[in-house]
Amino acid sequence: MANTSCVTEFLLLGFSSLGELQLVLFVVFLFLYLIILSGNVTIISVIFSDHSLHTPMYFFLGILSTSEIFYTMVILPKMLINLLSVFRTLSFVSCATQMFFFLGFAVTNCLLLGVMGYDRYAAICQPLHYPILMSWRVCGQLAATCMVSGFLISLMGTTLIFSLPFCGSSRVNHYFCDISPVIRLASAESYIYELVIFICGVLVLVMPLIFICISYGFIVHTILKIPSAEGKQKAFSTCASHLIVVIVHYGCASFVYLRPSAKYTSGKDRLVTVTYTIITPLLYPMVYSLRNKDVQLAIWKMIAKTGFSLKTL
């Protein structure tokens, strides 16, 4: 990555303006982070161990939970350290690396949510063709495409941003190296770069969201044709968890990324960013475990099996 930068490291301001409240935030965020890790690891373990969950829907949920674990690992450990430390610096290369992996996993998650919407469409609207439309080969290809596309888009965006000269302030008004706070520190005109990144943001956020909306349009149309109320409720329940996650994820991400960096306001944006870097990863296992009877049953089976194994010891 070519760079003519004068800056060798960045200072992450994070929540430094809150003073002693940072200790309270450390306890809260650490607690939430542990729940995120344990929740997503539980989801992955349950899906892997229970053969009844070896279906495309849960395959993609397992991939999404794995991505969420790495997504939070890129940001939260460093943020927790900074809440207790006065040395909040991050080297130029480390900042670029953090942005690359953050964007890579974030874009992958957006694409995975789109694929999960297609899976629900195929299951409800094309049940007879579902085994062909969502064969294991197709599922593997879709998952690989999401990951490769996510990191290629991330590589392009990160390269664009860090090819700019940074010869002024090195104070990043955020708790990690996000696009808007970093690009505002550039010493050169960044309009073209921002336009390219905005177009990528539209492709990553708006296009999958439109695809999801179209898929659910067909899903609702099909569900309304089901004669029994029980059948309608069962069909809707398989989509409810996915819809909740989509609304929160795309809503928060669109608010931050689908606008010029000049409109970045540190306080409000930092609050919204906390939502999709902490609350949304926390939401995935909670929503899918609390609203999904199959996952609940699999969790209880795993607990019972673990308890039996402990007794035999």
Side-chain angles (χ1 to χ4, degrees):
M1 191 180 299
N3 176 48
T4 57
S5 173
C6 306
V7 172
T8 58
E9 61 181 18
F10 292 99
L11 175 66
L12 299 175
L13 297 181
F15 301 95
S16 56
S17 61
L18 298 179
E20 294 181 358
L21 282 175
Q22 289 179 97
L23 183 59
V24 177
L25 286 179
F26 172 82
V27 174
V28 172
F29 289 155
L30 177 61
F31 177 69
L32 293 177
Y33 182 45
L34 293 176
I35 294 177
I36 290 169
L37 290 179
S38 58
N40 282 293
V41 167
T42 300
I43 292 291
I44 295 166
S45 302
V46 165
I47 291 172
F48 180 79
S49 62
D50 196 306
H51 290 284
S52 67
L53 299 182
H54 290 182
T55 63
M57 182 176 79
Y58 295 111
F59 168 76
F60 289 116
L61 177 58
I63 299 292
L64 185 65
S65 292
T66 304
S67 179
E68 283 298 326
I69 289 173
F70 288 107
Y71 170 78
T72 52
M73 284 175 66
V74 172
I75 301 168
L76 297 189
K78 179 62 177 174
M79 183 191 74
L80 290 170
I81 292 170
N82 288 346
L83 284 170
L84 298 180
S85 173
V86 293
F87 301 103
R88 299 183 175 92
T89 56
L90 201 61
S91 72
F92 189 91
V93 174
S94 296
C95 187
T97 303
Q98 185 185 56
M99 184 181 291
F100 167 72
F101 281 106
F102 165 72
L103 292 177
F105 287 116
V107 175
T108 297
N109 292 347
C110 287
L111 299 178
L112 280 172
L113 287 172
V115 169
M116 290 172 77
Y118 171 72
D119 171 70
R120 291 298 82 212
Y121 159 78
I124 295 172
C125 301
Q126 304 287 338
L128 297 179
H129 298 95
Y130 183 70
I132 299 171
L133 292 174
M134 297 303 291
S135 66
W136 286 115
R137 181 180 178 182
V138 172
C139 290
Q141 290 172 342
L142 288 172
T145 300
C146 289
M147 288 185 281
V148 172
S149 301
F151 281 95
L152 282 176
I153 292 169
S154 174
L155 179 63
M156 184 179 72
T158 307
T159 303
L160 276 174
I161 292 169
F162 285 90
S163 64
L164 287 164
F166 291 88
C167 294
S169 173
S170 62
R171 297 160 66 90
V172 178
N173 197 4
H174 211 357
Y175 57 87
F176 71 100
C177 291
D178 203 0
I179 295 173
S180 294
V182 172
I183 206 169
R184 283 164 64 91
L185 302 178
S187 306
E189 180 58 52
S190 59
Y191 172 75
I192 299 299
Y193 295 81
E194 290 184 55
L195 180 61
V196 173
I197 291 168
F198 177 79
I199 292 171
C200 289
V202 170
L203 292 174
V204 168
L205 291 170
V206 178
M207 296 304 291
L209 185 58
I210 291 173
F211 181 75
I212 290 170
C213 290
I214 293 172
S215 297
Y216 273 101
F218 284 111
I219 288 170
V220 170
H221 179 70
T222 302
I223 290 175
L224 291 177
K225 292 181 179 179
I226 299 174
S228 68
E230 184 181 349
K232 289 179 181 178
Q233 185 179 0
K234 185 178 179 181
F236 271 122
S237 67
T238 63
C239 303
S241 302
H242 179 250
L243 270 176
I244 292 170
V245 171
V246 164
I247 291 168
V248 175
H249 182 91
Y250 281 98
C252 295
S254 299
F255 177 82
V256 174
Y257 294 109
L258 295 184
R259 59 190 178 136
S261 66
K263 293 187 178 181
Y264 172 81
T265 54
S266 58
K268 187 189 295 183
D269 284 32
R270 202 154 39 207
L271 181 62
V272 175
T273 308
V274 165
T275 302
Y276 71 79
T277 55
I278 299 177
I279 305 302
T280 305
L282 182 68
L283 195 66
Y284 290 158
M286 291 182 67
V287 167
Y288 278 101
S289 61
L290 292 176
R291 295 190 59 87
N292 192 300
K293 291 182 179 179
D294 293 334
V295 175
Q296 288 178 17
L297 180 62
I299 290 173
W300 283 114
K301 282 165 64 178
M302 188 174 71
I303 292 172
K305 186 177 179 181
T306 305
F308 177 76
S309 299
L310 290 173
K311 285 180 181 179
T312 57
L313 293 174

